[in-house]
Amino acid sequence: MTIFIMTHPVPNDVKSLVTIKEEDVVIGVDQALSAIYKQRIKVDLAVGDFDSLKNKGLLHGLNTEELPTEKDVTDSYYALKRAHEMPHDEIILIGGAGGERIEHAYAHMNLFYHFPKIKMITEHSEIFKLDKHMQITHKGYINIFPYHEAIITLKGFKYPLDSYHLSPFDNLGISNELTDDTGKIFIEKGSILVILTNKKSA
């Protein structure tokens, strides 16, 4: 079972990005409920302080957990914490990057520290934390950032690396691409944040 947490800004066509099965759980976070409703996606749990939700009528009939406006964690963090309390095979955060408040996008990147196994899918990208070897077949841009430092080797890439030390805040791994059908990422130490971006949106 997959738990989908949808947060603002929600992609314009969620169903083109992921398949939501009947047994899956959807958690809507605050103002994301408006976009979820427009796309006719079922909501199993609504979470947030709802200070950004203009149409409070959308909460009618929903299983809702209303949070105080003044709190120490974001609504998305709380939603992820709740999701980890439920049975699941995978947790995917939908949305969360873009819009008018860039600080929330940055805060969502920090969530990988607390919830390292989640995946984040936005309008144009897929983001995940990686601390082991991986084969990859993405046709767009493959961006690799240290989280918070790592030693990596890249094979089958336009810009290969051989036991390279990615120090904190190193941007060397941005905008890489595959030259082979399949690329290989070897992590010898530490962990990385991988951002797969579609070329048509870059």
Side-chain angles (χ1 to χ4, degrees), residues 128-197:
F128 55 91
K129 187 179 175 185
L130 187 67
D131 58 7
K132 58 186 178 181
H133 301 341
M134 179 184 183
Q135 289 190 339
I136 196 162
T137 57
H138 185 66
K139 296 182 183 295
Y141 292 109
I142 302 171
N143 308 279
I144 295 173
F145 299 97
Y147 204 94
H148 293 277
E149 66 178 319
I151 297 176
I152 67 170
T153 292
L154 301 178
K155 294 184 178 180
F157 283 75
K158 182 177 181 180
Y159 306 109
L161 293 174
D162 185 11
S163 296
Y164 181 84
H165 179 212
L166 281 172
S167 57
F169 311 111
D170 193 335
N171 289 328
L172 178 73
I174 198 169
S175 299
N176 210 337
E177 303 174 60
L178 295 181
T179 53
D180 297 340
D181 291 336
T182 301
K184 295 180 180 180
I185 301 174
F186 298 92
I187 300 181
E188 299 162 40
K189 180 182 178 181
S191 57
I192 59 176
L193 200 66
V194 181
I195 303 178
L196 309 178
T197 302

Side-chain angles (χ1 to χ4, degrees), residues 82-106:
R82 284 289 287 114
H84 278 81
E85 295 169 356
M86 304 175 187
H88 64 273
D89 298 309
E90 185 177 26
I91 297 176
I92 299 177
L93 183 67
I94 303 289
E100 62 281 356
R101 297 193 60 185
I102 194 171
E103 63 267 33
H104 280 293
Y106 186 85

